[in-house]
Amino acid sequence: MKKEKEEAISAVKYLIEYFGESMDREGIKKTPERVLRAYRELLRGNFEEMPKLTTFESSYDQMVVVSHIKCISLCLHHTLPIILEASVGYIPDKKVIGISKIPRLVKWCCARLAIQEDLTGWIADLLMKHLKPLGVMVVLKGRHLCMEIRGAKTRAPVVTSAIRGIFKEPEKYGFEGIHPV
């Protein structure tokens, strides 16, 4: 691992110098190591196990929503931050999830290079697989710094949703107009 870390530090130094900075400049000498630590933290989902999704038997059969979950991902195309807010709703089928597990799962999924559309579906699919609810709805609202500080240079939120199970037939189950945000 030491060799790979040294190679990564050299790559960051190369980029800094490529863009006209000097590695001899005051305050920049330890920047490559700081960059590695920052990326290690922002991409920790690649290194950590998926959080354990503890469930409990329950007769509760109405919607459960956890909203306004704040998290950060990195744009797959530009490696710039996507500042996200997630809302997750589900309808239990004889078991509920430990409520803190939903934000943990969302944050773990987001801690990697990704596109928002894929993250949204992945979170919904993991909950369907591990919780086996009647339905799941995930909504992500994102500020894409790749769009705000370069390119289009506009602050236009991107909203994506993933709908699974009985939420796919809202008129059949009486969910018209229900949205977990």
Side-chain angles (χ1 to χ4, degrees), residues 85-127:
E85 184 172 287
S87 293
V88 177
Y90 75 96
I91 298 180
D93 185 18
K94 300 182 183 73
K95 61 182 177 178
V96 295
I97 190 169
I99 208 71
S100 72
K101 301 304 181 181
I102 292 175
R104 288 176 194 210
L105 177 68
V106 168
K107 289 174 185 259
W108 177 79
C109 287
C110 290
R112 62 194 72 245
L113 293 170
I115 62 172
Q116 183 174 329
E117 297 88 340
D118 289 345
L119 282 174
T120 311
W122 191 33
I123 294 164
D125 292 341
L126 284 171
L127 285 169

Side-chain angles (χ1 to χ4, degrees), residues 13 24 33 47 77 82 110 124 130 132 150 153 169 177:
K13 285 179 183 177
D24 296 324
E33 290 87 353
F47 307 103
H77 304 124
I82 307 169
C110 290
H130 294 280
K132 297 180 181 23
R150 55 156 306 282
K153 294 188 179 160
E169 301 179 71

